[in-house]
Amino acid sequence: NAGVTQTPKFQVLKTGQSMTLQCAQDMNHNSMYWYRQDPGMGLRLIYYSASEGTTDKGEVPNGYNVSRLNKREFSLRLESAAPSQTSVYFCASRKRQVESTDTQYFGPGTRLTVL
Amino acid sequence: KQEVTQIPAALSVPEGENLVLNCSFTDSAIYNLQWFRQDPGKGLTSLLLIQSSQREQTSGRLNASLDKSSGRSTLYIAASQPGDSATYLCAVRRTQGGSEKLVFGKGTKLTVNP
């Protein structure tokens, strides 16, 4: 099992450019999440998908869109990148079968710089 | 709004020392609390998960406690090793609306010196 994979690992964009961050998991998990991590701010939830076919906003959704393509894949799109979106982006997944005990599994992250 | 605070922000200790990391949260209506480890340039790895009805969880040299009424959790690391050097994050799961949303603290960066 590769677990949670993210592409690309690094990306530099100019203001106004668009891009899609890809995330895939091979653990047959139901729920998937996108976070951003900024120095001094901790991890903040951008969007999540509780199950295939559903998506919901998290704490900081402005400027982003998501697609739950299938059970395995959950992508995050920046339509018009801004310097404030410079961050490290993490994707996570969770089985959601035994709710009281299961945890989120995180990918290695994508480091995005917007100039 | 739930807020999670971790103190200290950074900690440096000599190898072999026992240490305690602290986490506090403002809203005691939590479903569970988790401790994660993050190595530089890497994602997060779950260490321990404590249900709201539990008082503590143990895994090897790690012991996490939870006092929901006071809004506090501690992560105890026994006989620390250089390999324990990492950032440790605390996260609480809220009970709002049945959906899972984790609220993270900003972490404690631990350095264990040989």
Side-chain angles (χ1 to χ4, degrees):
Chain A
N1 280 355
V4 180
T5 57
Q6 293 183 236
T7 56
K9 285 188 170 56
F10 302 92
Q11 184 71 48
V12 179
L13 293 178
K14 294 181 180 177
T15 297
Q17 287 186 317
S18 62
M19 79 160 294
T20 300
L21 280 64
Q22 306 286 354
C23 174
Q25 50 88 12
D26 62 0
M27 298 175 282
N28 199 34
H29 283 178
N30 300 309
S31 300
M32 297 185 74
Y33 309 82
W34 276 106
Y35 294 90
R36 60 178 289 174
Q37 186 176 36
D38 303 292
M41 295 294 293
L43 271 90
R44 293 179 291 171
L45 182 65
I46 305 171
Y47 270 95
Y48 68 102
S49 171
S51 60
E52 187 179 355
T54 68
T55 60
D56 283 288
K57 295 178 180 179
E59 185 183 353
V60 288
N62 291 345
Y64 305 95
N65 284 302
V66 291
S67 296
R68 183 75 182 265
L69 304 170
N70 47 56
K71 192 172 185 180
R72 289 188 63 246
E73 298 171 289
F74 188 38
S75 63
L76 178 71
R77 182 159 178 85
L78 287 69
E79 291 291 352
S80 179
S84 61
Q85 293 178 305
T86 293
S87 188
V88 182
Y89 291 84
F90 289 100
C91 177
S93 71
R94 174 173 163 256
K95 185 138 184 88
R96 219 168 160 242
Q97 187 170 56
V98 181
E99 288 224 3
S100 61
T101 58
D102 66 356
T103 185
Q104 292 186 15
Y105 293 82
F106 282 77
T110 293
R111 295 181 180 275
L112 175 66
T113 301
V114 183
L115 302 175
Chain B
K1 179 185 174 184
Q2 179 73 274
E3 292 183 2
V4 179
T5 303
Q6 292 188 245
I7 295 173
L11 182 63
S12 181
V13 301
E15 182 176 2
E17 192 162 296
N18 302 325
L19 58 99
V20 174
L21 307 181
N22 296 293
C23 171
S24 61
F25 46 95
T26 54
D27 186 350
S28 61
I30 64 169
Y31 190 71
N32 60 39
L33 182 145
Q34 286 187 254
W35 284 92
F36 289 88
R37 169 184 172 138
Q38 185 176 27
D39 293 289
K42 307 283 187 184
L44 280 68
T45 302
S46 180
L47 296 172
L48 291 164
L49 185 152
I50 312 176
Q51 297 302 318
S52 61
S53 58
Q54 296 175 321
R55 297 283 295 181
E56 65 179 346
Q57 282 286 339
T58 298
S59 176
R61 294 182 293 108
L62 305 180
N63 176 277
S65 68
L66 173 64
D67 184 342
K68 207 172 72 156
S69 60
S70 68
R72 293 176 186 275
S73 175
T74 62
L75 179 67
Y76 175 83
I77 302 177
S80 59
Q81 303 170 358
D84 295 329
S85 298
T87 296
Y88 291 81
L89 293 139
C90 165
V92 298
R93 176 179 167 182
R94 298 180 288 181
T95 57
Q96 187 178 51
S99 61
E100 178 186 292
K101 293 183 182 180
L102 291 180
V103 179
F104 284 85
K106 295 176 184 179
T108 294
K109 184 176 181 181
L110 173 65
T111 302
V112 181
N113 300 301

